[in-house]
Each structure stands twice: as C-alpha cells, then as structure tokens.
Amino acid sequence: MKNKILVTGGAGYIGTHTCIALHEAGYEIVVYDNLSNSSREAINRVSTLIGQPIEFIEGDIRDAESLKQVFLSHHFFGVIHFAGLKAVGESVAKPLMYYNNNVSGTITLLEIMAKFNVKNLVFSSSATVYGDPESLPIDENSPRSCTNPYGQSKLTVEHILEDLAVSDDSWNLIPLRYFNPVGAHPSGQIGEDPNDIPNNLMPYISQVAVGKLAKLNIFGNDYQTIDGTGVRDFIHVTDLAQGHVAALNYLERQVAPVGFLPINLGTGKGTSVLELVTAFSKVSGQPIPYQFADRRAGDIASCYASADKAKNLLEWQAKLSITEMCQDSWRWQSMNPNGYTVT
Ligand code: NAD
Ligand code: UDP
C-alpha cells in the first residue's frame, strides 16, 4: 500500500474521478467534503466503482477543529485540495462567500498541515489566473491577472502558497492550473452534476442534446478565431485525474523540496465552441440547436496551454480526444438525466 492522501472536495466532479485514479495507483485516500456542491450518492458510486467503501468525512475546510481531528487520526503523505466554490457569476454576486470559502478555507487547511508537518500540497488552480493571455500557448511564466472574485480567490491562494514557500523551504506546493475539464468516467456512473442551469459549455450542450434545454446560446461569433467562436483547451477529466497522480508520484520521487511549482494541465490544443458542438452532435446522434448571442462579459477569444512542463517534470500527457470527451459526457448525461438525483 502506498502513501495516504487527504482529498478535500473529493466528492465533487474532479475529486471523484481523481479518487478513482488514486485508488487504482495504489494510494490510500480519505475524502473530506462538506457536500455543499456534491452528494453522498457520488461517494457511493465511487465506492462501487473501486469495489470497497471509501473513507469519507463530512466536514468543512474552514473548521479547524474538525480538520485537526482528521489529521490526528491519520498519517498523511499529502493533501490534494479541490474544496472550493467555482461559479464565476455567483462569485461576482457573493464575493465574501467566495473569499471566505476559497481563501480563508485554504489558510485554515495550511495551518493544520503545518501543525502536523504535512508539507505536500496539490492545489486546484485554474487557467483563469492567466486572464486575457498576451501570447499562446500559455506557459506557466505568463503574467497573471484576474477580473472576477472566483479568479482572484485562486490567484490569492497562489500568492499565499508562494509566500509560504519563501518563508519555509520544506514545503512542496503544486498548483495545477486546469484548462477546461470536460467528460466523465467511462462507466457513465460519475460525472459533472451542475445544480442549476449550467454555466459551462459542455454540460449545457449535453442538456440540449438530452432535451432538457431547448437551445444553446453561443456567446460571440466575431472573435479572431478559426470560426469566430471562442477557443478553449478542453481536457478529459480522467486525464486531469491522472495529472494529480503524476504530481504525487513526482513529489514522492523528489529528494529535495520543490517549493512553489505551478504546472498547467491541458492538452495543448484549442477547440472552438462550434467545433465542440459539431463533435458532440456527431457522437450523440442528436441535433444541438444553437443561436449566436452577444459575447459573455469577461470572456476571452482563445485560451490553450503549453503542456510541456507537465510532460517534462510529471511525465504526464493528456491522451483522450475531443471525440472521447463527447462520448463520455454523453454517456453520463444520457444514463443520468437528473445527475445524482434519483427521482
Ligand atoms: P465541484 O464543485 O464539483 O467540487 C468541489 C467540492 O468541494 C464539492 O464536492 C464541494 O461540496 C466541496 N466544497 C466546497 N467548499 C467546501 C468547504 N468549505 N469545505 C469542504 N468541502 C467543500 O468542483 P470541481 O469542478 O470538481 O472543481 C474542483 C476544484 O477545481 C475547485 O477548487 C475548482 O475551483 C477547481 N477548478 C475547476 C474547474 C472546472 O472547470 N471544473 C476549472 C479550474 C479549476
Ligand atoms: N459558451 C457558450 N455558451 C454557453 C457556455 C459557454 O458559447 O452556454 C462559450 C464561452 O463563451 C467560452 C466557451 O464556451 O467561449 C467555454 O466556456 P465555459 O464557461 O465552459 O468555460 P470558460 O473557458 O469560460 O471557463
């Protein structure tokens, strides 16, 4: 048995897929989640998929006493820290809630980690920290800036991690900057389960395909891109999950601390909104009615990663294609039209 990992936010979309990948790689896992954006059903399904009950603790990362009890009962090699709120629009309406959850929560977690001398952290950052990129593909040294409280909360945590690494050189702090995670587990048992009308493109397309939503609004067709629609680096969530395993494996291989080490997780390839719509329609055999609408405030034309650092350091590369991303999203959506809610 390999090292034990605390997975905060492990009941969520990326967390559940990563728990499976960690288990398959031989890691022991403990999931800590307050279920504010997830469900016990997700945990049950992960347990079924891995063939054994998952160790799950319902708790909040802002609750120092509860976290302390978790660290007293387990000896962790490190923490993968997914727990956080992620809706950009909601963050504009409720900035204090976002800073409290994402920034204060992370500080509490780091304080407990320091107390228990657990110095390995893999943190869910985002390509949003690059703002409107000056050049493409985006590498890890590109300038960072954010325009909304969600993005600011990620950038602020990155700054905190940088300061921490300067203050004490025994930390290993890897923010993984995700590009656009999509897709679902190939079993169709776990996937993204948005609470309300989806904000993100792939769940919106899936819900149009399954007939829950009438029509996709494509935000902008006058960008300087291949077909005028926005271009993003979509990455299959199971590839993303493997990126976390690769980051832990990397930390296990190190003889000296790495300090603050940001790494992009993307495919390196851009796909336009229209290209994704066409691919999804082909895979699902469903029409995806759409109309062009105004640009969405805060959106940028194109965003795709340089994935070289992950390849060189972590020996990790995304493998799955846009077709596989659409196939798995469609399987999840059609098998679970109401997500984890059993009606
Ligand atoms: P998610 O909402 O599905 O998962 C987050 C999990 O954290 C949920 O299960 C939620 O219940 C839990 N959580 C939230 N606040 C908590 C708290 N205070 N204490 C304990 N648990 C808490 O989101 P996801 O898509 O799996 O994203 C995981 C992480 O990756 C988030 O930090 C998100 O900001 C980041 N990220 C996501 C994307 C994306 O497109 N999905 C892109 C870049 C970065
Ligand atoms: N998009 C769209 N219609 C939607 C949702 C998204 O046209 O209903 C576009 C959006 O303008 C962007 C791309 O799809 O160009 C990806 O958006 P998403 O919200 O999924 O991710 P982001 O890159 O903004 O984090």
Side-chain angles (χ1 to χ4, degrees), residues 69-201:
Q69 292 308 319
V70 176
F71 278 74
L72 277 172
S73 349
H74 299 275
H75 177 70
F76 293 117
F77 169 75
V79 177
I80 302 187
H81 178 32
F82 294 108
L85 301 173
K86 63 168 181 176
V88 173
E90 187 184 48
S91 80
V92 175
K94 299 176 180 170
L96 296 180
M97 185 168 105
Y98 270 67
Y99 287 118
N100 182 252
N101 204 83
N102 295 3
V103 179
S104 302
T106 302
I107 293 173
T108 303
L109 174 67
L110 289 166
E111 283 170 346
I112 299 289
M113 288 177 68
K115 199 180 231 142
F116 286 85
N117 203 30
V118 176
K119 298 286 184 71
N120 297 315
L121 177 82
V122 175
F123 169 65
S124 298
S125 189
S126 168
T128 197
V129 300
Y130 295 120
D132 196 352
E134 282 170 9
S135 60
L136 293 163
I138 307 171
D139 73 26
E140 288 81 355
N141 297 321
S142 304
R144 289 170 292 167
S145 70
C146 287
T147 53
N148 60 71
Y150 166 71
Q152 284 293 0
S153 76
K154 292 291 172 192
L155 190 49
T156 303
V157 169
E158 285 206 3
H159 288 315
I160 291 169
L161 299 181
E162 283 176 275
D163 291 343
L164 194 57
V166 169
S167 74
D168 169 354
D169 63 10
S170 65
W171 284 95
N172 299 292
L173 303 164
I174 304 190
L176 293 176
R177 296 178 181 151
Y178 312 154
F179 280 67
N180 288 60
V182 295
H185 192 263
S187 65
Q189 291 302 309
I190 57 170
E192 189 170 10
D193 184 16
N195 267 335
D196 210 345
I197 295 180
N199 296 309
N200 295 113
L201 181 62

Side-chain angles (χ1 to χ4, degrees), residues 180 199-201 204 216-219 230 232 273 296 299:
N180 288 60
N199 296 309
N200 295 113
L201 181 62
Y204 205 106
L216 171 72
N217 284 307
I218 296 185
F219 301 136
R232 295 291 182 275
V273 173
R296 187 170 64 178
D299 270 0

Side-chain angles (χ1 to χ4, degrees), residues 320-337:
L320 299 173
S321 65
I322 288 287
T323 300
E324 286 156 314
M325 298 177 211
C326 293
Q327 277 167 342
D328 290 335
S329 291
W330 175 235
R331 189 178 302 106
W332 156 252
Q333 180 67 66
S334 41
M335 285 171 65
N336 309 271

Side-chain angles (χ1 to χ4, degrees), residues 188-253:
Q189 291 302 309
I190 57 170
E192 189 170 10
D193 184 16
N195 267 335
D196 210 345
I197 295 180
N199 296 309
N200 295 113
L201 181 62
M202 186 65 112
Y204 205 106
I205 293 178
S206 311
Q207 294 198 10
V208 172
V210 86
K212 283 181 80 173
L213 294 169
K215 194 182 272 190
L216 171 72
N217 284 307
I218 296 185
F219 301 136
N221 63 344
D222 56 354
Y223 286 110
Q224 293 290 315
T225 60
I226 177 172
D227 53 24
T229 65
V231 164
R232 295 291 182 275
D233 185 340
F234 299 99
I235 174 169
H236 198 297
V237 67
T238 62
D239 272 335
L240 196 72
Q242 291 300 338
H244 294 75
V245 174
L248 286 178
N249 290 343
Y250 173 78
L251 289 179
E252 286 180 337
R253 288 197 299 275

